[in-house]
Amino acid sequence: MALAHGAQNKAYRIASIPADGIGPEVVNATIKVVKQLAETLKTFSIEFTTLPWGTAYYKEHGRYMPEDGLDTLRTFDAGIFGSVGAPDVPDHISLWGLLLAIRGPMQLYANVRPVRSFPKTKSPLRDVEEGDIDWVLVRENSEGEYSGQGGRSHLHQPWETATEVAIFTRTGIERIMRFAFETARSRPRKLLTVVTKSNSMRNGMVLWDEVAALVGKDFPDVKVDKMLVDAMTVRMVNNPKSLDTVVGTNLHMDILSDLAAALAGSIGVAPSSNLDPTRKSPSLFEPIHGSAFDITGKGIANPVATIWSASEMLAWLGEKDAAKMLFDSVAAVCRAGITTPDLGGTSDTKGVTEAVCEEIRSLQKR
């Protein structure tokens, strides 16, 4: 990582992968905001390089990214991702062609999704106010139900057969559990909920539970409870304040994190981080919303989730003050009622982006 502007200012190279749908709109908005932040603070410099991967690239080249795409990504400090998917390409082709083709091979094994009841987002739950939901969801991101193992045989026959094999390794479970316990320990409540389904999945999920219990012995200061995934959905709705840090498998947390975002008020403000805690590979940051082709090109896409993801990226890179300033600026803009239609507002992508940039400039003056 190069140094710039003297010994204390770092220069970061970020890969930008806007990809499909509203991805380019929210990523471009985020780049503008982050550049404004860097220009205002003058404590770091940041350069974004756009990689034109996605469905358009697939239609031209027959693949979602070039063969040396992972090598290209490894030359950057981090990446910001938009969304992938198109109405005329099957979802399993687009997802496995790009996002999952990055997560697994680069061992971005910890997917972290902070969930908060955000200003001007109204939870569908009764008696939930801003600040009542403050969770960190930790998702195993490299194996489990999304291992890509299985196949189909006897195609188009009445006895056509398909298998989808979930793979759980002791190494994979232990490292995500250790990461989850460390995350829980770093938070004030020091509470971790382990999500499982070991009552009916008697092999992989039993190993999951056993390793969780073993790792937990190294964290005596962290309170642990265990929930079956189906019961967890009820607890999230009926007793959201009882939760703090949650860890689960690839599939379980994929589903629960969307539920969590909806309970907090909107999937349009939900960020995520695909992390390599060993820091051997650059981590990738993205909103959890999809391509949203129904609003693509209309200029009303909500950029908050992507901007929040960029805040998480800056924190991961070590720019914690900048990350906090960025998050606080977004929160202030939402609190002022400058939001897109999905949050009940009348602004648009450009309006929210400009408002966040102005808030950054004003925060520095205070």
Side-chain angles (χ1 to χ4, degrees):
M1 194 178 296
L3 291 178
H5 311 304
Q8 295 182 349
N9 286 13
K10 289 184 177 179
Y12 301 102
R13 297 182 63 251
I14 308 299
S16 165
I17 311 175
D20 302 330
I22 63 172
E25 299 170 51
V26 295
V27 167
N28 288 339
T30 298
I31 290 174
K32 182 174 183 178
V33 167
V34 174
K35 284 184 174 180
Q36 178 63 66
L37 182 69
E39 180 183 328
T40 300
L41 291 178
K42 294 182 171 58
T43 55
F44 68 95
S45 64
I46 194 162
E47 173 189 348
F48 292 88
T49 299
T50 299
L51 303 178
W53 306 342
T55 298
Y57 189 95
Y58 168 74
K59 290 178 178 179
E60 181 178 353
H61 300 281
R63 54 188 304 134
Y64 268 81
M65 63 180 185
E67 291 185 23
D68 63 350
L70 297 182
D71 291 334
T72 298
L73 278 178
R74 290 188 179 100
T75 66
F76 293 92
D77 296 301
I80 193 85
F81 188 88
S83 57
V84 64
D88 55 349
V89 176
D91 288 342
H92 67 278
I93 292 178
S94 58
L95 187 62
W96 279 96
L98 187 53
L99 190 54
L100 295 186
I102 295 172
R103 285 177 178 171
M106 295 189 72
Q107 288 296 285
L108 308 181
Y109 67 82
N111 183 274
V112 181
R113 299 186 172 187
V115 180
R116 301 182 193 177
S117 41
F118 215 68
K120 293 297 181 180
T121 59
K122 183 172 177 58
S123 171
L125 300 178
R126 295 191 305 270
D127 303 322
V128 170
E129 300 177 355
E130 182 182 336
D132 285 348
I133 292 178
D134 185 2
W135 306 332
V136 174
L137 307 187
V138 178
R139 167 185 173 186
E140 201 295 314
N141 211 33
S142 65
E143 54 177 44
E145 305 88 347
Y146 296 176
S147 298
Q149 300 298 308
R152 295 173 64 179
S153 64
H154 310 297
L155 299 182
H156 311 303
Q157 299 295 330
W159 50 88
E160 182 173 354
T161 303
T163 60
E164 199 75 50
V165 181
I167 295 179
F168 299 92
T169 66
R170 181 172 290 272
T171 295
I173 299 170
E174 181 174 354
R175 67 186 183 180
I176 197 62
M177 287 298 170
R178 197 161 295 279
F179 180 88
F181 272 97
E182 289 170 350
T183 300
R185 173 181 274 174
S186 71
R187 290 169 58 80
R189 295 178 67 184
K190 293 180 170 52
L191 170 64
L192 178 65
T193 300
V194 178
V195 177
T196 185
K197 192 57 181 169
S198 53
N199 61 336
S200 57
M201 299 175 69
R202 59 186 183 178
N203 296 305
M205 288 280 83
V206 171
L207 178 62
W208 175 269
D209 290 356
E210 291 173 355
V211 174
L214 285 172
V215 172
K217 293 180 180 179
D218 293 336
F219 297 85
D221 55 326
V222 176
K223 182 180 178 181
V224 186
D225 60 31
K226 184 173 74 172
M227 292 291 295
L228 296 176
V229 64
D230 41 348
M232 184 65 177
T233 62
V234 178
R235 180 174 171 185
M236 291 169 70
V237 172
N238 289 346
N239 196 9
K241 296 178 187 178
S242 71
L243 297 168
D244 190 78
T245 307
V246 183
V247 63
T249 70
N250 217 330
L251 174 63
H252 291 167
M253 296 310 287
D254 191 8
I255 297 168
L256 291 181
S257 60
D258 277 17
L259 171 61
L263 294 178
S266 174
I267 199 169
V269 301
S272 73
S273 308
N274 300 281
L275 304 179
D276 171 14
T278 71
R279 298 183 182 265
K280 294 178 181 177
S281 294
S283 296
L284 188 68
F285 301 81
E286 56 167 330
I288 73 170
H289 62 65
S291 301
F293 272 88
D294 56 323
I295 61 169
T296 298
K298 295 182 179 180
I300 58 172
N302 190 345
V304 168
T306 316
I307 297 172
W308 188 355
S309 297
S311 172
E312 297 294 310
M313 177 185 75
L314 289 173
W316 182 252
L317 292 172
E319 301 293 339
K320 297 189 182 298
D321 291 342
K324 184 179 185 305
M325 186 175 183
L326 181 54
F327 179 84
D328 289 347
S329 297
V330 175
V333 166
C334 290
R335 191 172 290 111
I338 305 173
T339 59
T340 46
D342 60 300
L343 298 182
T346 58
S347 190
D348 54 14
T349 311
K350 182 178 179 180
V352 172
T353 303
E354 293 294 342
V356 175
C357 288
E358 180 56 36
E359 181 66 21
I360 290 170
R361 289 189 287 265
S362 67
L363 280 176
Q364 181 65 3
K365 296 174 184 177
R366 295 173 193 170

